[in-house]
Amino acid sequence: MNFVAFKMLVGDRPKYLGLIFAIGFASFLISQQCSIFCSLMLRTTSQIRDIVDASIWVMDPATLYFDEARPLPDNKLYRVRQVPGVAWAVPLFKGTATMRTDKGNFRAITLFGLDDTSLVGAPPHMLLGRLEDLSLPDAVIIDRDGYKLLYPGEPYKIGREIEMNERRGIIVGICKISRAFNANLVGFTRYSNALDFVGQQRNNMSFVLAQPDPGLSPEVVAQRIKAKTGLMALDWNAFGWKTIWYYMKHTGIPINFGTTIIVGIIVGMVVAGQTFYIFTIENLKQFGALKAIGVTNGTLLRMILLQASIVAFIGYSIGVSMCSFFIMRTTHLPATRGFTIPWQVFVFTAIIIFSIVLLASLASLRKVLVLEPAIVFRG
Amino acid sequence: MNSLAVPTAAVSLQGVTKEFGKGESSTLVLRGVNLDVYYGEITLIVGQSGSGKTTLLSVAAGLLNATSGTVMVLGQDLAALSPKEQVLFRRKNLGFAFQQFNLLPALTACENAAVPLLAAGVNRHEAIHRASLLLDRLGMTHRYNALPSKLSGGEQQRVAFARALIHEPHLVIADEPTSSLDSQTGQLVMELLTSISFSPNRAVIIVTHDDRIFRFGNRIATMSDGIIDHITSHTITPSS
Ligand SMILES: Nc1ncnc2c1ncn2[C@@H]1O[C@H](COP(=O)(O)OP(=O)(O)OP(=O)(O)O)[C@@H](O)[C@H]1O
Ligand SMILES: [Mg+2]
């Protein structure tokens, strides 16, 4: 009877296509919005994830998230280094400066100051120039998006002079980094240079980056640092989540995306549910005839669930394919660079869509199961 | 041909009543029906509109449960069967034809005729093959793959008869099978039904208003106000 169920479904072409469209639309909306949401949230942690040499982040206990670190006094670095299990620890500066080009163009820039000797926290990919050249006097490396903003339409070129805080700097390299949440330009320089470019404060060190001794887990050593120094110490993953939660709680982003996702669910539920329900109700006479002929309720149940799974599966496939296509086409554009579909989004969308369709079919199923087969004799 | 000489009852109704609703708003539609329907015969049930013919047919088919009385079908007391057993009993033993045909619009003629076999778990190729053979006998060879919407009323009813007979049921039940057809088509369809459905181990019950088809019945039971008023019987040659 699976064959009969299938034909009943596709035989009613307008409703069949309507169902697939509704479910495809809902799947697309849900998966696309979830993907953008996750990608944006992951962006808030991209600069944490870009630093792969160090696995522990140490910061002032009052620090709430990555983009707003309360500076630490320099002596805290030595306290961290003394904690047993810490292999090494280096300072990281993160501040905002205004960069001016030789042509008078100027932009705000997020400047990272890296430990002078180890350069821990350096950008992962150099497009032009060498990382080692950061040790040259006044050297700065900037990211490619920033370069394009500062020198629109010009080819990559190193050795250009810039100015920050009335101090001369030289671009010695152009790098590629993961896109951050804010649209600021990003630059890298030595720690000692950074203080000059941004201006000295009483406390300057944004973070201490540390690595545990071999064989010790970052979580355990982070716990020890916390106990010994009173500072907050987190492994990179925990710090990433702390930052994501901050953005979730303190921005309208989750509400905004949540609303769209809920709209997707409601539209899917109402349209798909209603269409499927009407589809079954209009076929009630047919189901009645089948019942009279001797098709059991169990078989009817299987038939309706099969119909439901077919539309759910096709609609879902179309929806997530459209979403994948969208992400593939946009992941290289500057505004949406690095957007991805986490696998969890596929699972989440599938669960939502199949629940919607299951719910809709259960509502109509009830009608079929209680149906009196004697109605087939009535006009 | 001596099934008429020693008739055995395929369906036996004794004091059957059927009440719809409860309490004050209830209506007693069948008021003690006694009726025997025999193998190898066609029994017509006639009577005024509202006299309870369809209700009686539904009770005899096990689509409705009698309020009281006994309903023996093919030697089985229907009241003794669970709802699921009733469904399986119908699937195995009963064939149906309806006034509105009730074909599945998405299925072709062959597929529609094959539904009872499919429901019984016969594989699709075999079921459709057997359906095509039966459609041949009903003069529908050229219409195997037509959808019901492309068939005339008479053709649709022939497909419906194929569906009613495909699994060789012992009891065939039809409610007003000709009343949606013009009289000429009705005659033709009845001739086909009577010739193809005739079998010494099959009983056929047809409810009808249509006095032009009375001649196809071995027995004519006239209903009036919820009881069988009288029964006339006469001999016919089933394959006309
Ligand atoms: N499910 C039901 N609930 C309440 N009353 C019903 C129900 N089914 C039938 N009746 C009533 O029972 C009576 C007999 O109906 P039935 O359909 O059996 O008559 P019929 O002889 O087949 O009539 P017709 O020739 O018009 O088809 C009618 O008065 C009808 O209103
Ligand atoms: Mg009737």
Side-chain angles (χ1 to χ4, degrees):
Chain A
M1 293 303 277
N2 290 348
F3 154 77
V4 175
F6 178 74
K7 280 213 126 183
M8 279 173 82
L9 176 68
V10 300
D12 195 343
R13 193 140 306 167
K15 285 218 191 64
Y16 174 62
L17 295 179
L19 270 172
I20 298 227
F21 176 81
I23 293 168
F25 175 75
S27 303
F28 173 70
L29 211 56
I30 294 169
S31 57
Q32 191 235 24
Q33 292 292 306
C34 285
S35 297
I36 296 179
F37 175 68
C38 293
S39 299
L40 276 181
M41 286 295 118
L42 281 173
R43 270 188 177 179
T44 65
T45 69
S46 64
Q47 287 167 337
I48 301 173
R49 284 178 291 120
D50 268 358
I51 297 181
V52 290
D53 321 327
S55 51
I56 300 172
W57 290 71
V58 186
M59 66 208 89
D60 188 282
T63 295
L64 294 173
Y65 67 115
F66 177 74
D67 290 312
E68 197 183 84
R70 174 189 283 208
L72 298 165
D74 290 349
N75 67 356
K76 295 289 185 190
L77 177 61
Y78 307 106
R79 302 272 320 269
V80 173
R81 284 181 174 159
Q82 282 159 9
V83 174
V86 172
W88 50 258
V90 295
L92 179 72
F93 172 87
K94 177 175 172 290
T96 310
T98 304
M99 184 182 269
R100 253 171 108 87
T101 67
D102 42 6
K103 294 183 175 152
N105 209 350
F106 62 95
R107 319 267 327 195
I109 178 168
T110 301
L111 191 66
F112 285 94
L114 313 178
D115 176 46
D116 285 32
T117 47
S118 68
L119 297 182
V120 167
H125 302 289
M126 293 298 293
L127 294 176
L128 192 64
R130 298 180 315 144
L131 192 58
E132 300 82 70
D133 291 345
L134 267 191
S135 53
L136 300 173
D138 308 325
V140 178
I141 292 175
I142 66 172
D143 80 289
R144 58 170 166 175
D145 290 334
Y147 185 91
K148 285 176 193 156
L149 288 173
L150 285 170
Y151 305 103
E154 292 185 38
Y156 293 156
K157 194 175 125 199
I158 50 180
R160 304 185 90 137
E161 268 193 33
I162 47 95
E163 193 193 286
M164 282 185 279
N165 193 26
E166 305 192 336
R167 297 243 341 179
R168 193 187 79 107
I170 295 182
I171 297 175
V172 300
I174 296 167
C175 65
K176 191 170 114 183
I177 55 172
S178 304
R179 184 74 160 66
F181 181 69
N182 62 34
N184 275 3
L185 279 61
V186 178
F188 297 86
T189 186
R190 273 173 293 128
Y191 190 83
S192 51
N193 265 348
L195 304 187
D196 293 333
F197 283 138
V198 174
Q200 291 259 4
Q201 305 284 321
R202 196 159 63 89
N203 295 331
N204 295 296
M205 190 166 60
S206 311
F207 299 101
V208 174
L209 297 176
Q211 185 66 0
D213 279 331
L216 288 178
S217 78
E219 291 90 341
V220 168
V221 176
Q223 206 53 42
R224 281 192 207 163
I225 295 172
K226 189 175 166 195
K228 291 265 190 234
T229 64
L231 297 174
M232 181 155 64
L234 298 167
D235 64 272
W236 66 271
N237 190 35
F239 187 36
W241 277 109
K242 187 178 169 69
T243 299
I244 287 178
W245 280 116
Y246 178 86
Y247 276 96
M248 296 246 239
K249 260 192 237 150
H250 296 276
T251 67
I253 297 170
I255 295 186
N256 180 29
F257 283 91
T259 310
T260 320
I261 291 165
I262 288 171
V263 167
I265 293 176
I266 292 175
V267 168
M269 185 105 74
V270 170
V271 179
Q274 181 136 314
T275 315
F276 196 78
Y277 185 74
I278 293 172
F279 171 76
T280 312
I281 298 307
E282 282 185 356
N283 287 338
L284 223 46
K285 197 95 196 247
Q286 298 182 38
F287 284 116
L290 290 175
K291 272 189 143 178
I293 286 169
V295 177
T296 57
N297 271 346
T299 305
L300 290 175
L301 181 108
R302 277 212 310 279
M303 287 172 69
I304 290 182
L305 289 183
L306 177 74
Q307 293 174 337
S309 337
I310 291 173
V311 286
F313 180 77
I314 297 178
Y316 169 79
S317 305
I318 292 176
V320 296
S321 305
M322 275 163 55
C323 172
S324 307
F325 184 72
F326 171 86
I327 297 287
M328 261 163 50
R329 293 306 294 263
T330 54
T331 191
H332 301 298
L333 305 178
T336 48
R337 169 150 322 128
F339 274 18
T340 56
I341 313 178
W343 63 266
Q344 291 91 336
V345 169
F346 287 113
V347 176
F348 174 75
T349 310
I351 292 174
I352 297 282
I353 290 297
F354 279 83
S355 314
I356 288 175
V357 176
L358 195 68
L359 223 66
S361 56
L362 286 183
S364 44
L365 199 56
R366 220 186 57 84
K367 284 266 184 197
V368 172
L369 295 187
V370 302
L371 178 70
E372 277 276 2
I375 66 145
V376 289
F377 285 136
R378 310 261 157 229
Chain B
M1 272 324 275
N2 56 8
S3 59
L4 293 180
V6 195
T8 17
V11 176
S12 178
L13 306 180
Q14 298 286 316
V16 168
T17 67
K18 178 67 191 175
E19 193 174 356
F20 287 111
K22 286 198 180 70
E24 298 209 338
S25 63
S26 74
T27 40
L28 192 58
V29 174
L30 300 182
R31 311 160 163 268
V33 171
N34 300 311
L35 177 68
D36 286 332
V37 172
Y38 299 98
Y39 285 112
E41 286 193 9
I42 292 175
T43 302
L44 299 184
I45 298 176
V46 302
Q48 283 179 337
S49 182
S51 55
K53 305 183 294 296
T54 297
T55 307
L56 175 62
L57 209 55
S58 305
V59 169
L63 299 179
L64 287 178
N65 290 321
T67 307
S68 68
T70 54
V71 181
M72 298 290 288
V73 179
L74 311 174
Q76 172 67 51
D77 181 0
L78 287 189
L81 296 178
S82 72
K84 171 139 195 211
E85 286 168 336
Q86 285 189 3
V87 176
L88 296 179
F89 181 82
R90 284 205 299 275
R91 182 167 97 190
K92 183 165 185 293
N93 299 304
L94 267 65
F96 290 93
F98 313 101
Q99 178 178 355
Q100 304 299 334
F101 321 132
N102 286 335
L103 299 174
L104 304 188
L107 301 190
T108 64
C110 256
E111 290 162 353
N112 261 296
V115 163
L117 295 179
L118 297 173
V122 174
N123 86 51
R124 198 166 111 209
H125 282 288
E126 157 98 23
I128 288 179
H129 176 66
R130 279 166 64 184
S132 68
L133 295 181
L134 190 50
L135 285 177
D136 287 344
R137 292 178 60 197
L138 284 156
M140 291 283 291
T141 308
H142 56 300
R143 304 300 267 154
Y144 287 165
N145 294 317
L147 293 176
S149 56
K150 298 277 182 288
L151 295 174
S152 71
E155 288 174 327
Q156 289 189 54
Q157 195 58 298
R158 281 189 270 170
V159 175
F161 286 161
R163 181 174 70 182
L165 294 166
I166 185 81
H167 52 307
E168 305 192 339
H170 294 298
L171 176 61
V172 172
I173 281 180
D175 193 10
E176 315 256 12
T178 58
S179 65
S180 304
L181 307 174
D182 64 66
S183 82
Q184 213 183 339
T185 314
Q187 297 287 314
L188 175 77
V189 155
M190 279 308 295
E191 275 168 27
L192 277 170
L193 176 64
T194 48
S195 69
I196 286 196
S197 65
F198 177 78
S199 155
N201 49 25
R202 177 178 299 146
V204 179
I205 309 177
I206 299 172
V207 162
T208 186
H209 266 120
D210 186 353
D211 52 13
R212 289 160 312 189
I213 68 169
F214 284 6
R215 66 187 174 90
F216 293 103
N218 302 91
R219 253 167 242 272
I220 299 177
T222 306
M223 270 197 97
S224 147
D225 201 14
I227 53 165
I228 300 287
D229 199 52
H230 57 275
I231 299 175
T232 58
S233 72
H234 53 102
T235 310
I236 57 161
T237 34
S239 47
S240 56

